[in-house]
């Protein structure tokens, strides 16, 4: 992830998830790559980016899609919802 993204919009952001997925696609020489960045809690959130905010990216030869989520629950619940959403995004991308 570029330093400009980290210093600008931050690591919990759409551009960060996009660059992570695209970078993994190239670095690992794979056909499809997922990324996730977010705040699972219990602390670290803000009014603009509350705990439960997660960006999930999926990159492939067809392009890159990033979805923003606002999950609820404790740290474990947020993490489980993020995994389920990442797998759904992967499935959606494979079926497109």
């Amino acid at each position: 992830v570029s330093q400009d993204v980290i210093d600008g919009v931050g690591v919990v952001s759409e551009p960060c998830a996009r660059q992570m997925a695209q970078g993994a696609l190239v670095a690992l020489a794979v056909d499809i790559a997922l990324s996730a960045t977010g705040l699972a809690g219990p602390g670290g959130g803000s009014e603009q980016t509350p705990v439960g905010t997660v960006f999930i990216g999926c990159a492939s030869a067809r392009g890159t899609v990033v979805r923003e989520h606002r999950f609820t629950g404790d740290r474990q619940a947020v993490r489980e919802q993020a995994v389920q959403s990442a797998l759904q995004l992967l499935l959606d991308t494979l079926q497109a």
Side-chain angles (χ1 to χ4, degrees):
V1 176
S2 72
Q3 195 65 47
D4 287 343
V5 167
I6 294 169
D7 293 340
V9 293
V11 295
V12 180
S13 66
E14 184 275 340
C16 183
R18 180 174 300 279
Q19 286 187 8
M20 287 170 58
Q22 291 171 340
L25 191 72
V26 172
L28 300 171
V30 294
D31 295 328
I32 195 162
L34 290 172
S35 67
T37 181
L39 295 167
S46 67
E47 190 172 311
Q48 187 176 25
T49 309
V51 169
T53 302
V54 178
F55 292 88
I56 299 170
C58 186
S60 70
R62 288 184 244 155
T64 304
V65 173
V66 177
R67 294 182 182 164
E68 179 180 0
H69 301 274
R70 297 287 170 99
F71 299 124
T72 59
D74 63 11
R75 180 176 179 80
Q76 187 62 29
V78 170
R79 293 175 73 187
E80 288 173 3
Q81 291 170 82
V83 169
Q84 291 172 357
S85 294
L87 292 173
Q88 185 62 56
L89 179 54
L90 176 61
L91 182 59
D92 294 346
T93 300
L94 291 171
Q95 291 177 335

